[in-house]
């Protein structure tokens, strides 16, 4: 008899890739996939540990599952599940908690599992045992897929719990990544986003944790040869691992798009040292300058943390003015929150929460100004857009190669197609409208 399973993913693109792999495993075990708000036999919640709200988010989605089916089994996996398994097992409604190693064997744990009012079962390895690699890719919609190429991290940033949740840096083989990319291409998906914890560190652990056999440059060189994928987008990559050769390859590539997301975290060299980041602001600005030199219209996204211990007003303004001076496109702003078992949690110089929120708002406003200026700079350009399936108030939306969000009147025949369009104007909703094919034709004749 076919059973049903529903899934909800919190956090990063890597989690989405792994949820899809777990779902495929359950589908092979005769579980039919249904919506999370539908009645299901099993609910799988893939958690994140990056924000302090991880526990609240987990509890909320457990309640959603219990509302949809009080008799359904609730399984919690992911980073939060690895870090706080016992805490999660005490949440009312949770039946099973699986750690970093166990989550990919979910079928075997479900065989004899029954709904119980008692504390949920916990199966969680020591993180040192997570020294293997499970290839994954997700298909969230019909236009793009997230392809996992790397997992874990050997960096010891003082604010981060990811090494505790995901283990050491390790990678898939190039051969398997290429195989997965071809499988994605066969599903008529136009764009792949490369994901991992620290993808610039690609190559580590590929052959039993021996020395690096391959590099990130080797990987993207081979992926650029895969037929059938129109676009490949690199997700977040550390500035110290983004080499000139990789930037040059992207600038000349047939598949890789001119879009980089490069974590900064702080524009103060003093704070970068306290964070144990592996670069200073000079290297960061050099990376941005190199991208602009060879790809003047590339999109450049930036991660930044506000309110880190010791971030005085002077140091925050260093960050603000440094970012203001850079020709970047947008920011992802994170408000620092204390995480257990991290060095930063014991540091002096705590920033009041109210001040953290104020600084977050200042940088989000700066981000919006940067993004709008970048969008304005693209008006008049003719660029390829990958149209998505969303129909919102009669419009369809898509992204250019360099990550400009655009819209036009909805036409289902354009869904999951790439169309060259002329960017017309920046609308009040912060989206660029484009000429329809007919309007563009009239303008050209």
């Amino acid at each position: 008899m076919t059973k049903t399973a529903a899934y909800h993913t919190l956090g990063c693109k890597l989690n989405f890739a792994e949820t899809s792999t777990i779902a495929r495993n359950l589908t092979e075990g005769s579980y039919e996939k249904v919506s999370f708000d539908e009645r299901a036999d099993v609910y799988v919640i893939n958690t994140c540990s990056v924000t302090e709200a991880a526990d609240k988010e987990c509890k909320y989605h457990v309640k959603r599952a219990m509302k949809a089916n009080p008799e359904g089994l609730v399984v919690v996996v992911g980073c939060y599940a690895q870090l706080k398994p016992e805490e999660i097992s005490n949440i009312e409604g949770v039946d099973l908690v699986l750690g970093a190693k166990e989550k990919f064997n979910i079928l075997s744990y479900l065989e004899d599992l029954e709904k119980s009012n008692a504390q949920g079962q916990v199966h969680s390895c020591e993180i040192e045992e997570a020294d293997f690699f499970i290839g994954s890719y997700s298909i969230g919609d019909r236009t793009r897929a997230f392809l996992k190429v790397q997992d874990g991290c050997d960096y010891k940033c003082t604010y981060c719990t990811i090494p505790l949740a995901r283990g050491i840096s390790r990678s898939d083989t190039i051969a398997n990544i290429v195989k997965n990319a071809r499988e994605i291409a066969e599903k008529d998906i136009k764009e792949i986003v490369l994901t991992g914890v620290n993808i610039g560190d690609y190559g580590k652990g590929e052959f039993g944790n021996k020395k690096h056999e391959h590099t990130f440059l080797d990987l993207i060189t081979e992926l650029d040869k895969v037929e059938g994928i129109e676009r490949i987008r690199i997700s977040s990559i550390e500035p110290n691992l983004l080499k000139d050769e990789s930037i040059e390859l992207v600038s000349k590539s047939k598949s890789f798009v001119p879009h980089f997301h490069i974590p900064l975290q702080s524009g103060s060299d003093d704070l970068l040292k306290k964070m144990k980041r592996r670069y200073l602001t000079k290297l960061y600005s050099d990376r941005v300058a190199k991208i602009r030199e060879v790809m003047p219209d590339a999109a450049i996204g930036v991660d930044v943390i506000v309110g880190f211990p010791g971030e005085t007003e002077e140091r925050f303004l260093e960050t603000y003015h440094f970012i203001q001076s850079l020709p970047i496109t947008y920011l992802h702003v994170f408000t620092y929150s204390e995480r257990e078992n991290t060095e930063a949690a014991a540091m002096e110089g705590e920033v009041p929460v109210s001040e953290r929120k104020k600084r977050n708002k200042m940088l989000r406003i700066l981000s919006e100004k940067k993004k709008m200026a970048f969008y304005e700079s693209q008006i008049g350009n003719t660029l390829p857009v990958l149209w998505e399936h969303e129909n919102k108030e009669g419009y369809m939306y898509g992204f250019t190669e360099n990550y400009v969000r655009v819209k036009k009147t909805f036409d289902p025949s354009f869904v999951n197609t790439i169309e060259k369009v002329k960017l017309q104007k920046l609308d009040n909703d912060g989206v660029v409208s484009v000429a329809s094919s007919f309007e563009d034709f009239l303008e050209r004749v």
Side-chain angles (χ1 to χ4, degrees), residues 225-343:
K225 301 173 185 175
V226 176
E227 297 295 329
I229 294 295
E230 304 265 355
R231 295 178 170 184
I232 305 176
R233 201 176 292 275
I234 299 169
S235 60
S236 182
I237 183 167
E238 294 288 305
N240 53 302
L241 296 174
L242 178 57
K243 307 299 185 184
D244 284 357
E245 295 83 358
S246 295
I247 295 171
E248 293 279 0
L249 185 144
V250 171
S251 73
K252 300 168 184 173
S253 165
K254 71 178 180 67
S255 302
F256 281 87
V257 297
H259 176 200
F260 295 86
H261 193 94
I262 315 169
L264 169 64
Q265 311 307 13
S266 176
S268 163
D269 285 342
D270 289 339
L271 287 183
L272 288 174
K273 291 172 186 175
K274 285 188 72 175
M275 291 175 172
K276 291 191 177 176
R277 302 293 287 163
R278 300 196 178 192
Y279 55 87
L280 297 177
T281 52
K282 175 64 167 63
L283 184 145
Y284 194 94
S285 58
D286 285 349
R287 296 296 81 214
V288 172
K290 176 62 180 178
I291 293 168
R292 284 279 168 256
E293 176 192 334
V294 297
M295 287 171 280
D297 291 324
I300 303 175
V302 180
D303 286 342
V304 62
I305 296 170
V306 295
F308 187 80
E311 186 187 66
T312 60
E313 184 173 354
E314 180 183 7
R315 283 172 171 167
F316 169 71
L317 289 175
E318 273 187 76
T319 296
Y320 187 93
H321 293 307
F322 179 67
I323 293 170
Q324 191 176 43
S325 72
L326 292 173
I328 57 95
T329 310
Y330 63 90
L331 303 174
H332 284 171
V333 186
F334 299 89
T335 301
Y336 172 76
S337 60
E338 290 77 5
R339 314 300 292 154
E340 285 183 33
N341 301 315
T342 61
E343 285 186 55

Side-chain angles (χ1 to χ4, degrees), residues 76 88 110 113 182 228 239-240 280 301 307 331 342 347 364 406 411:
V76 181
I88 294 172
L110 287 175
L113 189 66
R182 287 180 177 142
N240 53 302
L280 297 177
L331 303 174
T342 61
M347 287 182 180
R364 282 189 286 110
V406 299
D411 181 340

Side-chain angles (χ1 to χ4, degrees), residues 191 231 233 257-259 374-375 378 383-386 398-406 421 423 434:
E191 180 174 305
R231 295 178 170 184
R233 201 176 292 275
V257 297
H259 176 200
F374 180 73
Y375 278 19
Q378 300 302 299
L383 299 171
V385 173
L386 174 55
F399 283 94
T400 63
E401 291 179 333
N402 60 345
Y403 215 52
V404 176
R405 191 163 188 246
V406 299
V421 293
L423 308 193
V434 302

Side-chain angles (χ1 to χ4, degrees), residues 101-315:
K101 184 177 180 180
E102 293 77 13
K103 62 188 174 186
F104 295 108
N105 295 318
I106 187 170
L107 263 176
S108 62
Y109 293 104
L110 287 175
E111 284 178 3
D112 300 315
L113 189 66
E114 295 182 355
K115 192 70 185 176
S116 169
N117 293 323
Q119 181 179 7
Q121 295 182 26
V122 173
H123 299 275
S124 183
C125 66
E126 295 298 320
I127 198 59
E128 290 77 16
E129 296 175 45
D131 58 355
F132 57 93
F133 190 91
I134 302 291
S136 306
Y137 61 85
S138 79
I139 302 169
D141 56 40
R142 290 184 289 168
T143 55
R144 66 179 52 83
F146 303 135
L147 174 58
K148 175 182 173 183
V149 301
Q150 184 273 342
D151 199 354
C153 188
D154 293 341
Y155 287 10
K156 305 297 179 186
C157 299
T158 56
Y159 53 82
C160 186
T161 59
I162 297 300
L164 301 175
R166 283 194 168 270
I168 60 171
S169 180
R170 56 211 189 269
S171 310
D172 204 350
T173 63
I174 286 180
N176 196 53
I177 293 170
V178 168
K179 179 183 78 69
N180 285 340
R182 287 180 177 142
E183 287 180 12
I184 292 167
E186 289 170 1
K187 300 179 189 300
D188 193 32
I189 289 169
K190 302 291 192 255
E191 180 174 305
I192 287 176
V193 183
L194 303 185
T195 69
V197 175
N198 188 359
I199 65 173
D201 205 28
Y202 176 81
K204 268 191 183 174
E206 186 183 335
F207 300 97
N209 299 322
K210 295 179 182 177
K211 67 178 183 178
H212 283 247
E213 299 285 347
H214 288 107
T215 65
F216 183 71
L217 178 62
D218 294 332
L219 172 65
I220 62 177
T221 299
E222 290 306 309
L223 282 173
D224 201 35
K225 301 173 185 175
V226 176
E227 297 295 329
I229 294 295
E230 304 265 355
R231 295 178 170 184
I232 305 176
R233 201 176 292 275
I234 299 169
S235 60
S236 182
I237 183 167
E238 294 288 305
N240 53 302
L241 296 174
L242 178 57
K243 307 299 185 184
D244 284 357
E245 295 83 358
S246 295
I247 295 171
E248 293 279 0
L249 185 144
V250 171
S251 73
K252 300 168 184 173
S253 165
K254 71 178 180 67
S255 302
F256 281 87
V257 297
H259 176 200
F260 295 86
H261 193 94
I262 315 169
L264 169 64
Q265 311 307 13
S266 176
S268 163
D269 285 342
D270 289 339
L271 287 183
L272 288 174
K273 291 172 186 175
K274 285 188 72 175
M275 291 175 172
K276 291 191 177 176
R277 302 293 287 163
R278 300 196 178 192
Y279 55 87
L280 297 177
T281 52
K282 175 64 167 63
L283 184 145
Y284 194 94
S285 58
D286 285 349
R287 296 296 81 214
V288 172
K290 176 62 180 178
I291 293 168
R292 284 279 168 256
E293 176 192 334
V294 297
M295 287 171 280
D297 291 324
I300 303 175
V302 180
D303 286 342
V304 62
I305 296 170
V306 295
F308 187 80
E311 186 187 66
T312 60
E313 184 173 354
E314 180 183 7
R315 283 172 171 167

